Amino acid sequence: MYQNIIDLLMKKENLNDVAYLGHSAQSSLSKWSEKNDAQRAVNGDNRDCNFAFHTDKEKDPWWELEFDAPVKLSYIIINNRKHKEFQWISSSLKVITTNEVGEEITIHKGRVFFGSLPKSL
């Protein structure tokens, strides 16, 4: 279902998925982490999965995606666990980007609803 929504948006607005071009990292690994855990979030295969990577339980966990050169982004699509009991995970979600001179800019801070459509993306 999510794959179809994302594909329709990309086709309608003539967008390309550039996430796989970046290098990802995360603050920690958990007992559920797999090989190349952070990169699993951007490999294109996990759009319809319930999860892609795990950090350990910690204060202020993070996941990042870095590109070798500047990239113009039209959308950032974040897909989290689709079950209601995991909605609390997103309660302090923050999205930060870095501009051409290295300044960090917060483009989102606050609650995002994950779960069933229409609030899930």
Side-chain angles (χ1 to χ4, degrees):
M1 177 189 302
Y2 291 97
Q3 180 70 41
N4 293 340
I5 293 168
I6 294 168
D7 288 342
L8 286 172
L9 174 66
M10 290 176 66
K11 183 177 180 179
K12 179 182 176 190
E13 300 201 20
N14 196 29
L15 302 172
N16 294 307
D17 184 353
V18 297
Y20 70 94
L21 299 172
H23 309 283
S24 59
Q26 63 195 65
S27 57
S28 62
L29 297 175
S30 77
K31 65 182 179 181
W32 298 285
S33 295
E34 296 183 16
K35 184 178 180 181
N36 297 323
D37 209 40
Q39 196 67 25
R40 291 174 60 227
V42 295
N43 70 6
D45 295 335
N46 288 313
R47 288 185 187 155
D48 227 11
C49 291
N50 194 29
F51 60 87
F53 69 94
H54 294 89
T55 57
D56 206 0
K57 291 182 179 181
E58 62 184 299
K59 182 175 172 40
D60 300 323
W62 55 265
W63 177 88
E64 71 179 11
L65 184 62
E66 186 174 348
F67 296 95
D68 292 332
V71 175
K72 180 182 178 188
L73 301 176
S74 298
Y75 291 90
I76 297 174
I77 298 173
I78 301 171
N79 199 5
N80 200 353
R81 291 188 179 241
K82 298 168 187 73
H83 298 97
K84 188 174 183 176
E85 64 267 23
F86 292 103
Q87 287 184 354
W88 64 270
I89 293 173
S90 63
S91 63
S92 62
L93 181 69
K94 190 186 304 183
V95 179
I96 301 170
T97 186
T98 306
N99 65 15
E100 300 83 16
V101 295
E103 298 169 324
E104 288 188 350
I105 301 166
T106 299
I107 58 175
H108 174 82
K109 182 178 179 182
R111 182 138 182 89
V112 173
F113 294 96
F114 293 105
S116 59
L117 290 170
K119 295 182 177 180
S120 60
L121 292 176

